Amino acid sequence: MTFGFAPSSAASLSTSAASAHRVLEPAEWAAAGIPLLRNPREVVSGLHSRHRPGPATAVVAVLDPNERLRASASFVRRPAPADGWMLRNALLAQLRRVIPHDLRRRTPVRTAVLLYCREGDARWTEEDGAWMWGLRDACTLHGLRCGAYITLTRDGWQVLGEGRGGRRPSAVSTPEALGNAEVPPPSPRTGGVSSEVLRRAAAR
């Protein structure tokens, strides 16, 4: 059902077709060979403690081969239709601010994961599909492996495509103190100067 006036049926069909290519369905995501996190709750708890995400907040993090956090950044998604291309650009901008690219490597060594805090339940939505498309493309352009996509809702957290999740942390739970979080804090050099600048800005 359509409300209001569309500029033209051709334009509407063109927009719909473009958007369809910027969303990954759960089956496509599962078939992409996304590496499994060894301990997703530790990763989620650590990111939740560091960034304290609220609704519509995305946290992108880069992990080394041992799943140690090398850099992370968070930002609030602007209200707009789900479009993987726009989300890709937002993720790529954050990655470029906090960590150098790995495009010179033949094989990616570091992995980017995305935690997205949103309203609703843990079931897949078209917005999730747009984030998946955006994460996969941003990783390719930054020389990283595409890692897990995790939703954080009032019911808890869920690794989409894996069926793993938990009740805590959730979108409404109080973040653990960093000293109590299961993910060890990164060393002072983690993420370079840009990461330190972002950390200080966030503290203000």
Side-chain angles (χ1 to χ4, degrees):
M1 183 178 293
T2 303
F3 297 93
F5 296 93
S8 71
S9 58
S12 298
L13 288 171
S14 175
T15 301
S16 298
S19 297
H21 294 295
R22 296 171 180 167
V23 173
L24 289 181
E25 298 284 342
E28 294 175 294
W29 183 255
I34 305 299
L36 301 178
L37 290 170
R38 288 194 295 270
N39 195 327
R41 187 186 184 282
E42 288 187 0
V43 174
V44 174
S45 295
L47 295 178
H48 187 249
S49 297
R50 284 172 175 80
H51 294 276
R52 301 171 181 263
T57 300
V59 181
V60 61
V62 179
L63 310 177
D64 71 11
N66 295 316
E67 283 194 6
R68 288 191 297 261
L69 182 65
R70 307 318 314 175
S72 63
S74 62
F75 61 98
V76 177
R77 170 165 134 66
R78 296 178 180 177
D83 186 328
W85 185 76
M86 297 296 292
L87 299 181
R88 184 277 307 273
N89 291 344
L91 290 170
L92 195 56
Q94 296 298 324
L95 288 170
R96 286 171 173 165
R97 291 177 65 187
V98 299
I99 199 163
H101 67 74
D102 277 346
L103 293 171
R104 293 185 182 88
R105 293 182 178 274
R106 291 185 177 181
T107 305
V109 173
R110 298 182 291 192
T111 302
V113 299
L114 178 61
L115 172 71
Y116 184 55
C117 181
R118 62 167 172 77
E119 302 290 351
D121 57 32
R123 287 176 294 183
W124 181 89
T125 66
E126 186 173 325
E127 182 184 25
D128 294 325
W131 279 115
M132 290 171 168
W133 191 97
L135 176 63
R136 185 185 65 176
D137 217 43
C139 288
T140 299
L141 294 174
H142 207 63
L144 302 170
R145 286 201 309 170
C146 179
Y149 172 67
I150 307 159
T151 58
L152 190 70
T153 65
R154 297 178 68 89
D155 297 330
W157 58 272
Q158 177 83 13
V159 184
L160 266 68
E162 293 184 22
R164 291 192 291 175
R167 293 184 178 179
R168 292 185 64 86
S170 72
V172 294
S173 65
T174 302
E176 298 177 13
L178 271 178
N180 298 327
E182 295 179 31
V183 178
S187 64
R189 296 180 186 177
T190 297
V193 177
S194 297
S195 180
E196 180 65 14
V197 169
L198 287 175
R199 187 190 66 76
R200 290 179 180 174
R204 293 175 190 162

